[in-house]
Amino acid sequence: MPSLLSSEAVETGITPGGTTGAFRDVLSKHHAHRRKPPVHFTDMSDGEREEALKELGYPKFRASQLARHYFSHCTTDVAGYSDFPQDQAGTVKQRFFPDLITPLLEQTADNGATIKTLWQLFDGSRIESVLMKYPTRTTLCISSQVGCGMGCPFCATGQLGLTRNMSAGEILEQVRYAAAQARDGALGEPARLSNIVFMGMGEALGNYNAMLKTIRQISALPPHGFGISARNITVSTVGIVPGIKKLMNEHIPVRLAVSLHAPSDKLRDELVPMNKRFNTTQVLDAAHDYYMATKRRVSIEYALMKGINDQAGHARLLAKRLNHYGDDWVHVNPIPLNPIEGSRWTASKPEDEARFLDILHNAGIAATLRDTRGSDIDGACGQLAARVKDSGVLCTVQ
């Protein structure tokens, strides 16, 4: 059986226990060992960039120029680089900045403060990202896989199944595009992209190597990266315990968010099938270890579902489970569910949401009801891709 970080896992996203045993990744009918994306500038090491330039007849210092334009100016238009020779601009563009993702459709919500983009990748696959403006920050929610193999029944992406992992270049292109959007006033006024959350399509820890390469380049200072503090990057997981431990040992101060959604194994087995592989005790142990190692509070994501996991007993048990590890190590984010059309999984009543929060607060646990962005569009991750796929709609962004 392959380990989490074996070449098989990196290629397909299959996690330990993913092919046999209590849990198996839910694969899309399109899942296959598909051809890999073209190699992008951000997929290369410094040495590889310099060697590729040498093959084109350029000295190695040109690599830092390309990096500066990409990370500092968020542009891949080599023909527009005033300090770069133009005799092979087209060749250089194709060699280092192939078109990996293309915007197909954009939806705007929250009076222009939220922009959701549906992307088509080089092989026709589709993923989503969401750019959000808040009073004190601008956040981008990015995808790391095409679909998701975790199979959570209330999640639109989970219903798509896992098609393939994304390359670091594909992930980082979402960041570059959004940074330029924010800078150019797409959210109403110019802003700096300040926060990144791996909460889009896919299980980021199921695509570990590409995720890590992405994090390093997001957080590195220009001209080596986008200069977004690692402390402003959040990695969300359903609880891939080996991945949590691996990330902890990288000594990068990213925030960990665990999608728990249930306080007991019996209920979580139904809501998060991966719980059959790594149960609530194993997941919470790993999350607490992450807190102890990094001194960064862990976020507990908890989608509230009417009559399923939102009752007083659920809140009390959640508080008990978290307080078992001590004080002030977690922050709980109860999330009003953005339901899939026709699904039996529906949003909680406001009074049940309020009671849930009160119980947590009274138990001494920090908790904040998640701000629901995109409620007037296909806000839940995967909804837009699924709707466009089912309807056959293909709208080019103007």
Side-chain angles (χ1 to χ4, degrees):
M1 183 181 300
S3 70
L4 179 68
L5 300 180
S6 71
S7 60
E8 176 73 7
V10 169
E11 174 65 22
T12 69
I14 297 291
T15 49
T19 55
T20 60
F23 173 78
R24 182 179 181 184
D25 280 357
V26 178
L27 302 183
S28 164
K29 64 181 180 180
H30 304 294
H31 174 79
H33 286 275
R34 303 174 71 140
R35 61 191 179 97
K36 294 183 178 181
V39 176
H40 188 270
F41 184 80
T42 55
D43 295 313
M44 302 177 186
S45 66
D46 288 342
E48 289 169 337
R49 295 169 183 173
E50 293 170 0
E51 184 61 31
L53 281 164
K54 181 180 178 181
E55 292 173 2
L56 294 176
Y58 292 106
K60 63 182 181 180
F61 78 85
R62 296 294 184 188
S64 62
Q65 290 181 317
L66 295 179
R68 183 167 59 254
H69 283 286
Y70 186 85
F71 291 113
S72 299
H73 305 302
C74 301
T75 177
T76 60
D77 179 19
V78 178
Y81 296 174
S82 60
D83 59 352
F84 197 91
Q86 294 299 299
D87 55 322
Q88 297 187 77
T91 301
V92 172
K93 165 71 169 65
Q94 189 57 36
R95 179 67 180 86
F96 293 99
F97 305 118
D99 294 326
L100 299 181
I101 67 175
T102 303
L104 290 182
L105 179 66
E106 285 185 353
Q107 293 182 333
T108 302
D110 306 309
N111 296 316
T114 300
I115 301 174
K116 184 168 190 175
T117 304
L118 175 67
W119 298 98
Q120 181 162 292
L121 307 187
F122 83 101
D123 59 355
S125 300
R126 294 175 183 178
I127 56 99
E128 301 171 10
S129 63
V130 186
L131 181 62
M132 297 162 283
K133 181 72 171 67
Y134 295 93
T136 60
R137 68 188 187 280
T138 300
T139 299
L140 176 67
C141 179
I142 58 176
S143 294
S144 56
Q145 293 180 319
V146 179
C148 182
M150 298 297 100
C152 301
F154 57 88
C155 173
T157 305
Q159 303 315 296
L160 296 174
L162 175 65
T163 296
R164 67 169 175 86
N165 276 337
M166 295 173 62
S167 68
E170 289 174 313
I171 301 171
L172 283 161
E173 275 291 270
Q174 298 170 73
V175 179
R176 180 189 67 82
Y177 186 89
Q181 277 187 308
R183 178 198 64 199
D184 296 340
L187 295 168
E189 60 183 8
R192 179 183 180 273
L193 182 62
S194 60
N195 292 66
I196 303 293
V197 294
F198 284 82
M199 294 183 179
M201 297 174 70
E203 164 60 57
L205 294 183
N207 188 14
Y208 189 92
N209 287 352
M211 176 204 71
L212 185 63
K213 182 178 287 188
T214 299
I215 289 172
R216 293 193 186 282
Q217 293 182 79
I218 291 172
S219 58
L221 293 175
H224 306 291
F226 289 109
I228 297 172
S229 171
R231 298 183 67 83
N232 291 344
I233 300 173
T234 299
V235 174
S236 179
T237 176
V238 298
I240 310 296
V241 170
I244 294 172
K245 293 180 178 179
K246 177 72 174 176
L247 184 61
M248 177 179 71
N249 291 325
E250 302 290 354
H251 305 294
I252 304 173
V254 299
R255 184 179 295 279
L256 178 70
V258 175
S259 296
L260 195 66
H261 304 315
S264 69
D265 286 323
K266 182 178 180 180
L267 179 56
R268 197 169 190 261
D269 281 351
E270 179 183 1
L271 298 180
V272 184
M274 179 54 81
N275 197 68
K276 298 170 186 175
R277 174 65 178 159
F278 304 110
N279 64 31
T280 55
T281 298
Q282 292 171 297
V283 171
L284 290 175
D285 282 351
H288 185 256
D289 288 345
Y290 190 91
Y291 162 76
M292 292 297 291
T294 64
K295 303 306 178 186
R296 300 218 62 196
R297 281 202 302 184
V298 174
S299 294
I300 299 294
E301 310 295 304
Y302 196 102
L304 291 168
M305 299 169 230
K306 182 179 178 181
I308 303 294
N309 66 351
D310 63 347
Q311 299 303 294
H314 299 120
R316 286 192 289 268
L317 180 55
L318 177 62
K320 179 180 179 181
R321 297 293 304 274
L322 298 180
N323 280 333
H324 166 76
Y325 296 91
D327 298 330
D328 202 35
W329 73 279
V330 293
H331 186 283
V332 179
N333 283 318
I335 308 166
L337 185 70
N338 197 333
I340 307 169
E341 185 176 354
S343 171
R344 73 183 181 93
W345 313 95
T346 59
S348 299
K349 297 177 181 178
E351 56 267 30
D352 288 338
E353 294 175 353
R355 180 180 61 185
F356 199 95
L357 275 173
D358 286 343
I359 291 172
L360 294 179
H361 291 157
N362 290 336
I365 294 174
T368 307
L369 190 68
R370 173 72 65 80
D371 177 26
T372 54
R373 286 297 187 98
S375 59
D376 52 340
I377 57 174
D378 299 293
C381 203
Q383 284 186 346
L384 181 55
R387 180 177 67 79
V388 173
K389 173 176 176 289
D390 292 343
S391 66
V393 173
L394 183 61
C395 299
T396 303
V397 176
Q398 300 299 319

